[in-house]
Amino acid sequence: RKFERPRHGSLGFLPRKRCSHHRGHIRKFPRDDASKPCHLTAFMGYKAGMTHIARDVEKPGSKQHKKESVEAVTIIEAPAMIVVGLVGYVKTPRGLRSLTTVWAKHVSDEFRRRLYKNWYKSKNKKAFTKYTKEESDRAKNIDKELAKIKKHCQVVRVIAHTQVSKVKISQKKAHVMEIQINGGSIADKVDFGQKLFEQPVSAKSVFAQNEMIDVIGVTKGHGFKGVVSRWHVTKLPRKTHKGLRKVACIGSRHPARLGGAGARAGQKGYFHRTELHKKIYRTRDAAKKLASS
């Protein structure tokens, strides 16, 4: 009989715990190339559902070559995002440090709701009210801050929020994210970001059809699960005393403590994950727009 086998479950995803935020966080943006024109490198969308497609496989050497294959695809609803700010980062020995932030002249209530824990109960919704009033002084300050970013910063990112009112979910609070600007010089990046202030940015302007992208999100949650469901360990024989969906030996007698690599019951799903090399099969306008045109 066999005496060795691969272990059950990857240790690369430890600790298997619930994600603290439902929105996917970008841990690393694509590498910058100054020879290319300025462009945004990320976008946010909402999963609308799934369907399937049939395609001809072009893969010489594979049994599937020149045959038709049916694949699952995800439909993502991505209304245009609104740019409301610009951040400059300085590279330090301990990573990036934000130098300064410049905000747009007007920001929507969708975005301002994100700054309050309870928008409905807050008595004076004063976020950004002073900022929009002090116009003449602010114009001077904005130019000064943008000049500072151009002089000192190595990384420039825009702050953009989704238009959550255009999606059928029971939420009025917009999701906010930083999107890195790649390509061109630092001055070009700052000018490019400033021109986008209060402007809608569509998904088509960031990603093209047939492009390969990485998708970041949080997986479906399944709650507290046992070892067979969570780690896919082998079930014990039918006649096992006190249950069979278990790990028979969880460790040696000494050292008298558990190792971290053993399969144990706990949280399954609702994990932050990045899926690599996903193809955009089609980008198109919303169904309502298509029907009216």
Side-chain angles (χ1 to χ4, degrees):
R1 66 188 187 89
K2 289 201 298 184
F3 291 96
E4 289 187 4
R5 55 148 181 81
R7 63 160 288 114
H8 288 287
S10 171
L11 296 179
F13 294 110
L14 292 180
R16 289 178 183 251
K17 57 193 282 192
R18 283 194 302 274
C19 189
S20 59
H21 42 73
H22 186 69
R23 181 174 68 79
H25 275 225
I26 300 173
R27 305 233 167 100
K28 196 174 191 310
F29 284 95
R31 191 174 279 114
D32 194 7
D33 185 0
S35 62
K36 292 179 180 175
C38 291
H39 60 279
L40 297 178
T41 52
F43 203 82
M44 200 187 297
Y46 299 89
K47 182 174 175 177
M50 293 188 75
T51 182
H52 62 270
I53 55 146
R55 71 180 186 97
D56 294 321
V57 178
E58 286 290 329
K59 203 173 182 183
S62 168
K63 285 183 178 179
Q64 283 282 310
H65 185 51
K66 298 284 185 187
K67 289 181 181 176
E68 201 173 66
S69 171
V70 176
E71 291 179 0
V73 292
T74 305
I75 300 165
I76 295 172
E77 201 171 343
M81 295 182 76
I82 308 292
V83 176
V84 290
L86 188 79
V87 194
Y89 286 92
V90 180
K91 284 182 180 174
T92 71
R94 290 177 300 280
L96 294 175
R97 178 178 66 83
S98 64
L99 182 71
T100 185
T101 306
V102 177
W103 295 98
K105 192 174 175 182
H106 304 289
V107 292
S108 67
D109 282 353
E110 272 183 323
F111 169 71
R112 288 172 64 224
R113 277 174 184 270
R114 177 52 60 186
L115 310 175
Y116 291 83
K117 188 164 188 182
N118 193 327
W119 172 267
Y120 175 74
K121 283 188 178 176
S122 64
K123 287 176 181 144
N124 44 9
K125 303 171 174 64
K126 287 196 171 178
F128 279 95
T129 48
K130 282 186 182 177
Y131 190 81
T132 49
K133 279 179 186 173
E134 301 160 2
E135 196 153 326
S136 56
D137 298 337
R138 201 168 56 79
K140 290 176 192 171
N141 287 341
I142 282 178
D143 294 337
K144 197 191 291 181
E145 296 300 311
L146 291 174
K148 197 194 284 186
I149 292 173
K150 287 178 183 178
K151 187 178 179 185
H152 299 291
C153 293
Q154 289 83 46
V155 174
V156 180
R157 294 175 185 171
V158 295
I159 300 169
H161 70 82
T162 59
Q163 296 186 75
V164 81
S165 59
K166 293 189 176 181
V167 187
K168 276 199 168 184
I169 59 172
S170 57
Q171 185 172 323
K172 296 177 183 177
K173 191 183 285 192
H175 292 96
V176 185
M177 74 180 295
E178 284 186 6
I179 304 173
Q180 189 161 303
I181 302 172
N182 279 0
S185 64
I186 297 299
D188 294 338
K189 287 180 170 70
V190 173
D191 294 337
F192 176 80
Q194 192 186 5
K195 280 177 188 171
L196 291 176
F197 275 8
E198 299 177 40
Q199 299 297 318
V201 178
S202 67
K204 282 184 181 178
S205 64
V206 180
F207 299 122
Q209 198 158 303
N210 296 323
E211 193 177 341
M212 302 296 282
I213 62 168
D214 295 346
V215 182
I216 302 171
V218 177
T219 61
K220 186 195 286 187
H222 295 278
F224 194 99
K225 288 283 187 176
V227 285
V228 175
S229 175
R230 193 182 187 215
W231 292 95
H232 305 291
V233 298
T234 311
K235 288 202 303 185
L236 299 177
R238 182 187 62 80
K239 296 178 76 171
T240 311
H241 182 54
K242 287 191 175 178
L244 49 85
R245 295 176 66 91
K246 296 172 178 289
V247 176
C249 176
I250 58 171
S252 56
R253 187 173 183 184
H254 289 291
R257 65 195 73 87
L258 292 176
R264 308 291 280 153
Q267 176 66 29
K268 181 186 176 185
Y270 206 74
F271 302 138
H272 187 275
R273 293 287 179 264
T274 304
E275 293 265 318
L276 306 180
H277 307 306
K278 299 294 172 191
K279 189 171 191 174
I280 300 172
Y281 278 118
R282 183 180 291 179
T283 57
R284 55 188 292 182
D285 292 325
K288 282 181 184 175
K289 268 190 187 178
L290 288 170
S292 61
S293 57

